[in-house]
Amino acid sequence: MKAIPATVLLFLMLMGMLPVSAVEPKLKPHPDAVANTHAPGEVDKPELVPFIVADPTKLKGIVVDETQAKLIGVWQYSTHTPPYVGLGYLHDQKKGKGEKAVIFTPDLPKAGRYEVRLSHCYNIRRSTNTPVTIHHAEGEKTIRINQQQIPAHNKLFRSLGTFRFDQGKSGWVKISNDGTDGKYVIADAVQFFYVGE
């Protein structure tokens, strides 16, 4: 019997056609995050469900999901607005502005230049000036991104640029909610593509 792809199982689960217990999750929610309050299938844009990547290991490059990130402050899970990577995405609850961050630290197999991409869902409730800091081998760069805009890569990932990193875990990407009053900040996953020396 042919296995059912994870994205199909997730779609059926979100649409309420498959009990959550029928899908054995490989990922476990971040222990420091507040649980999702939305029921399976309760989504604002059902047409974007096919863009969900349920298994981060199916993505190319090195991917750090929110389940592996360090949380500063209280973040909450949601699945209300697809697409996202893994179990869902985190949001800052529009609270504690300037006091919250999510830090994604990859374990890079070799030194060199990597394109860094950030995943986030999008809608008008999102922050238009989310600060993202990339800590790389040559210093740090902070940029502000508009999380209301549709990410260019499969409606899920947007490129933050190419940076040089050392091998191992010395580099990181931090999403903060500083200066984002009145809107939700989203943290989901970061992807690193090796592009050469």
Side-chain angles (χ1 to χ4, degrees):
M1 182 175 168
K2 193 172 181 182
I4 299 172
T7 51
V8 173
L9 290 172
L10 184 62
F11 176 78
L12 293 172
M13 186 178 70
L14 288 171
M15 294 298 107
M17 298 177 209
L18 186 70
V20 176
S21 60
V23 180
E24 186 67 36
K26 295 179 185 176
L27 299 172
K28 294 188 187 288
H30 198 294
D32 297 331
V34 177
N36 184 12
T37 59
H38 295 285
E42 184 185 342
V43 296
D44 61 353
K45 294 185 178 182
E47 68 275 14
L48 294 177
V49 167
F51 293 94
I52 294 170
V53 178
D55 184 354
T57 65
K58 302 291 186 194
L59 290 165
K60 293 181 180 178
I62 291 98
V63 178
V64 183
D65 189 43
E66 91 289 327
T67 57
Q68 304 162 296
K70 177 183 177 183
L71 307 189
I72 298 170
V74 180
W75 293 78
Q76 182 169 11
Y77 267 104
S78 184
T79 51
H80 188 244
T81 300
Y84 49 81
V85 174
L87 300 172
Y89 56 91
L90 299 175
H91 64 80
D92 70 341
Q93 304 171 302
K94 293 196 297 185
K95 298 177 184 175
K97 296 299 185 176
E99 301 172 1
K100 299 184 182 186
V102 179
I103 301 171
F104 299 83
T105 303
D107 188 358
L108 299 176
K110 57 184 171 181
R113 292 181 299 115
Y114 288 81
E115 180 190 357
V116 180
R117 294 182 183 178
L118 176 76
S119 70
H120 65 84
C121 55
Y122 58 92
N123 63 32
I124 59 169
R125 299 183 298 276
R126 306 297 179 239
S127 163
T128 59
N129 62 341
T130 301
V132 181
T133 301
I134 302 98
H135 180 79
H136 51 89
E138 297 167 348
E140 284 186 9
K141 181 173 183 178
T142 300
I143 59 176
R144 288 195 176 259
I145 63 168
N146 184 346
Q147 292 190 308
Q148 293 185 10
Q149 294 175 339
I150 300 172
H153 301 283
N154 213 27
K155 300 184 187 293
L156 185 56
F157 283 92
R158 69 187 306 145
S159 181
L160 302 175
T162 300
F163 306 90
R164 184 172 300 283
F165 289 90
D166 292 326
Q167 180 181 4
K169 298 181 177 181
S170 62
W172 45 260
V173 174
K174 178 174 74 174
I175 299 170
S176 166
N177 72 346
D178 189 34
T180 59
D181 295 348
K183 298 287 184 178
Y184 287 99
V185 170
I186 304 302
D188 186 13
V190 180
Q191 189 174 32
F192 298 80
F193 286 104
Y194 180 76
V195 296
E197 295 298 323

